[in-house]
Amino acid sequence: KSTGGEPLKMALTQMIVDQPTDAVEYIGKFLCEYVKKVEGEAARKSRFAELEQTVAAQDAAVAEAAALAEATKKAEGPSDEELQVEADLEKASDVPALYPAVLAAVKRQAGATSAYVGSKGSTAEGLPVVAFGAASEGCDMAGRIL
């Protein structure tokens, strides 16, 4: 009664409206169609739930890709430290005084153990040389000529 009562009541109601010649056959066909309809609705609901999960997963993947793109963009651009060093260099009248800050930034960003600054020149005989003017802490290249 709990599973068949409602569909049977619907079949009998429809049978009164349609007035078929064979009532038993009509009820049988109605109940078979009802079962197909209910099973189809269940399959549709199941498929809809699967699609909702797929959409949610795709939305999460899009959000993750956007976050990754933003992080990549930020990583490829200048860091706050680089921007500060650039700003200091633009307004500084004594650039060599900023060498320690510049070298420390280069060292951190390159993952190096030391950094140094040199200028290319030549000897009186015309041989090329590099004179190292400044070096990070722990590096003894300052004052050397290569």
Side-chain angles (χ1 to χ4, degrees), residues 13-116:
T13 304
Q14 190 63 41
M15 186 178 71
I16 292 171
V17 173
D18 292 345
Q19 297 287 316
T21 54
D22 187 355
V24 174
E25 182 182 346
Y26 183 86
I27 291 172
K29 285 183 179 180
F30 184 94
L31 293 175
C32 287
E33 289 299 317
Y34 180 83
V35 168
K36 287 180 187 177
K37 179 182 172 188
V38 169
E39 287 175 348
E41 287 175 3
R44 188 172 44 253
K45 285 180 183 178
S46 173
R47 180 69 179 138
F48 186 72
E50 288 174 17
L51 291 173
E52 281 183 326
Q53 288 177 346
T54 302
V55 167
Q58 288 174 344
D59 288 347
V62 166
E64 183 179 340
L68 180 60
E70 181 66 29
T72 301
K73 182 179 176 184
K74 185 176 180 180
E76 289 174 349
S79 68
D80 293 340
E81 181 183 24
E82 286 176 304
L83 294 172
Q84 183 61 47
V85 169
E86 285 181 23
D88 291 346
L89 284 170
E90 285 179 11
K91 61 185 175 185
S93 58
D94 184 24
V95 173
L98 295 175
Y99 283 169
V102 171
L103 292 172
V106 168
K107 204 169 114 172
R108 267 192 300 282
Q109 291 171 5
T113 56
S114 61
Y116 40 86

